[in-house]
Amino acid sequence: MSTGDADGPVLDAEQFDRLASYGTEEEVQPGQDLYATGDNSYDFFLLRTATAEAVRDATALEPERLIYRRGPGEFLGELSLLTGQQVCR
C-alpha cells in the first residue's frame, strides 16, 4: 500500500485483487450517489476505475463542501465491514 496524491492509501495490484475478491463488482454512473446523509447504513467501496467524492451537505449557514476525493486503487465507505466493528451514530 502506498500513499496516493489524495489523503488516503492506494492499494497495490495484489492488495486490490485480494480485497476485491470479498465483494461484488458494480458499475455506477457519473453523478450517482453511493450514499447520502441520513442513510441507515452504507457499503465499503473499492474503486477500480472510478473517482468518488465525499461532499458535506449545504446548511443554512454554509454551502456544500468537498470533504475528500478518492480515485482508482483507493477505497471509501464503511470500514466496519472489514473490521467487524459496529457503526457509531
Side-chain angles (χ1 to χ4, degrees):
M1 187 178 317
S2 64
T3 302
D5 295 335
D7 297 330
V10 176
L11 302 171
D12 64 33
E14 187 274 329
Q15 291 169 321
F16 186 98
D17 290 342
R18 186 169 16 143
L19 187 54
S21 73
Y22 291 98
T24 303
E25 191 165 330
E26 296 180 41
E27 187 171 323
V28 297
Q29 300 303 312
Q32 179 179 338
D33 288 340
L34 301 177
Y35 51 87
T37 302
D39 286 353
N40 289 327
S41 64
Y42 48 95
D43 291 332
F44 176 85
F45 297 95
L46 180 60
L47 304 173
R48 184 178 302 278
T49 59
T51 297
E53 296 177 339
V55 178
R56 190 202 69 207
D57 292 336
T59 67
L61 300 175
E62 295 192 38
E64 179 179 274
R65 184 170 66 93
L66 177 66
I67 303 299
Y68 62 82
R69 179 179 289 118
R70 298 287 184 263
E74 295 181 297
F75 49 87
L76 68 149
E78 188 48 69
L79 293 176
S80 70
L81 292 170
L82 299 177
T83 64
Q85 296 173 318
Q86 296 282 337
V87 177
C88 297
R89 297 236 181 267

